Amino acid sequence: MIYMDNAATTMRKPPEVAEAVAKAMNAMGNAGRGTNDASLNAARLIYDTREKLADFFGAEDPKQIVFTSNSTESLNTAIKGVLEPGDHVVTTMLEHNSVLRPLYEMEEKGVSLTFVQSDKKGNISYTEMEEAIQENTKAIICTHASNLTGNKIDLQRVGEMAKRHHVLFIVDASQTAGVYPIHVQEMQIDILCFTGHKALLGPQGTGGMYVRKGLQVTPLKSGGSGVQTYSKKHPTDMPIALEAGTLNGHGIAGLNASMSYLQKVGIDQIREQELSYMWQFYDGVKDIPGVQIYGDFETKERCPIVTLNIGEYDSAEVSDELLETYGICTRPGAHCAPLMHKALGTVEQGAVRFSFSHYNTKEEVETAIEAIKKLAEEE
């Protein structure tokens, strides 16, 4: 099997990740729920992972790192925890449904939305974004990179814009955490939402969020915390304020191992390798008759994603053929990015997404190129 669906989840992980999960399954207690060795060891490992993530994202304090199950939970917590009726939000057409659907829910409760439009290459106008800010704008909420086109948004520029207008800046880093450097303080990010199972190379069911010190976010959940048991209200101290219930300690153990791997290898080296495969594939298919590629490839600053269609060939049929005939795993359809597909004109056809890992090989990429050539000839 040739796996090229890494924007959905990275299937191949460093061996030490699985080893860490297996070890934790047999030795880890419940952090914060006792003073026995199993519980204390769990607490220490979880705190060590907070420290690694805080350092990785440039947070001012490990306590500002909150663990969740994925980006979707993080984004729901952020969006529903800071917005109130009467607030206004500026967002973009690049967004994933994990941003859009919570925003639509809040819209029903009285929050107004402005969507910064995308051009045919999937780019937005920063001028249009700034002009969309109103007196009642509470936040700019946007992805760091489109999961459909791989196009990036300049977080530094948007963060400075948000600070200039005294609005919150909430970022979905699902596609970039582990690929591109993110420094929350330098980029003026108030809330950063990330998942562990993609480029951070951790297990599924792991993720988190950074919340700027001093920013109050209403919890999405309340319940057991291990402290203040007799209080009717959930604790307000970070990170417990946003971490009701038992954490996925086993998964966090795997995330801890993956963070050590990223520190050892270096995300710059990993990104360079992934982009080399992306460019190899792009250069190999861009001039094939009938092949339509989406996104902006004039800039080198992008995620290792190539999304395409072949003539009028349905994207699901192309993806099925790639799998059944060539053993290549891709992602067809709408990619949970409805507004982006509307902007690209691919609502009916969908599109086939190739997304690369540093675990891929040049030979695998060449196989994928040849597969597209043959399918284009058949179409």
Side-chain angles (χ1 to χ4, degrees):
M1 181 174 64
I2 298 175
Y3 189 78
M4 294 181 171
D5 193 19
N6 293 280
T9 192
T10 48
M11 185 187 70
R12 291 192 63 186
K13 316 286 187 182
E16 51 262 48
V17 173
E19 293 168 4
V21 173
K23 182 179 178 181
M25 291 284 288
N26 291 309
M28 180 177 281
N30 198 334
R33 268 63 168 184
T35 57
N36 57 74
D37 286 344
S39 177
L40 291 174
N41 287 338
R44 293 184 186 107
L45 186 144
I46 288 171
Y47 187 76
D48 183 67
T49 311
R50 283 193 213 279
E51 287 190 312
K52 288 179 178 177
L53 288 164
D55 180 67
F56 192 75
F57 292 124
E60 63 270 30
D61 189 330
K63 292 180 180 179
Q64 302 311 118
I65 299 293
V66 174
F67 288 110
T68 66
S69 58
N70 47 45
S71 285
T72 299
E73 184 180 347
S74 298
L75 288 160
N76 271 265
T77 301
I79 291 168
K80 297 174 182 179
V82 302
L83 297 180
E84 298 175 347
D87 288 340
H88 171 254
V89 169
V90 177
T91 187
T92 80
M93 292 187 74
L94 279 65
E95 307 309 314
H96 187 277
N97 271 336
S98 55
V99 170
L100 295 176
R101 285 174 173 167
L103 283 178
Y104 292 146
E105 287 183 42
M106 297 308 294
E107 186 177 34
E108 293 177 355
K109 297 179 180 180
V111 173
S112 58
L113 310 175
T114 297
F115 291 92
V116 180
Q117 301 299 299
S118 163
D119 64 20
K120 291 296 184 180
K121 286 189 175 182
N123 293 318
I124 64 164
S125 164
Y126 296 99
T127 300
E128 181 183 338
M129 177 178 280
E130 188 155 17
E131 290 174 347
I133 297 173
Q134 306 171 6
E135 284 189 9
N136 64 329
T137 300
K138 183 69 168 289
I140 298 173
I141 303 175
C142 70
T143 186
H144 190 187
S146 166
N147 72 319
L148 179 58
T149 65
N151 291 6
K152 284 176 68 247
I153 285 179
D154 186 341
L155 295 188
Q156 187 76 47
R157 185 171 180 178
V158 179
E160 291 171 357
M161 181 192 304
K163 184 177 181 180
R164 191 161 58 246
H165 291 275
H166 308 289
V167 301
L168 297 176
F169 185 29
I170 301 173
V171 176
D172 173 9
S174 299
Q175 293 299 326
T176 54
V179 179
Y180 278 94
I182 299 173
H183 195 290
V184 292
Q185 294 186 80
E186 292 179 359
M187 294 176 171
Q188 312 296 333
I189 296 170
D190 294 289
I191 301 179
L192 179 78
C193 301
F194 59 91
T195 193
H197 71 98
K198 298 192 187 210
L200 286 179
L201 303 176
Q204 294 179 1
T206 63
M209 55 194 298
Y210 156 81
V211 179
R212 175 179 51 77
K213 186 173 287 190
L215 175 60
Q216 295 296 314
V217 177
T218 302
L220 188 67
K221 303 178 293 183
S222 61
S225 61
V227 296
Q228 301 179 25
T229 294
Y230 295 102
S231 173
K232 291 183 178 181
K233 295 185 178 180
H234 193 77
T236 57
D237 293 336
M238 289 288 283
I240 296 171
L242 302 177
E243 288 183 346
T246 296
L247 295 175
N248 178 11
H250 304 136
I252 292 171
L255 184 59
N256 186 287
S258 70
M259 295 301 299
S260 295
Y261 174 84
L262 292 174
Q263 290 171 343
K264 178 179 67 177
V265 178
I267 66 169
D268 292 343
Q269 180 175 326
I270 291 173
R271 180 176 67 254
E272 182 179 344
Q273 188 66 62
E274 292 176 349
L275 288 173
S276 72
Y277 295 141
M278 183 210 72
W279 288 113
Q280 178 189 350
F281 180 75
Y282 172 77
D283 289 337
V285 301
K286 64 183 176 68
D287 295 322
I288 298 174
V291 170
Q292 172 71 47
I293 296 175
Y294 306 98
D296 185 358
F297 287 84
E298 293 180 5
T299 174
K300 302 295 182 182
E301 285 279 309
R302 54 175 295 104
C303 282
I305 291 171
V306 178
T307 301
L308 56 79
N309 274 317
I310 302 174
E312 301 300 318
Y313 209 163
D314 183 78
S315 65
E317 293 181 7
V318 173
S319 191
D320 285 347
E321 189 66 28
L322 287 168
L323 179 61
E324 293 172 9
T325 303
Y326 303 97
I328 301 171
C329 300
T330 58
R331 171 80 183 274
H335 311 88
C336 303
L339 300 185
M340 194 73 260
H341 275 281
K342 288 181 181 179
L344 298 175
T346 53
V347 171
E348 298 300 325
Q349 188 178 14
V352 182
R353 183 183 68 191
F354 292 77
S355 48
F356 302 91
S357 163
H358 67 298
Y359 284 118
N360 287 125
T361 66
K362 291 181 179 180
E363 291 74 22
E364 289 178 339
V365 175
E366 195 56 42
T367 298
I369 293 170
E370 292 303 314
I372 294 298
K373 287 180 180 178
K374 291 179 180 177
L375 290 175
E377 290 173 0
E378 294 172 5
E379 208 279 335

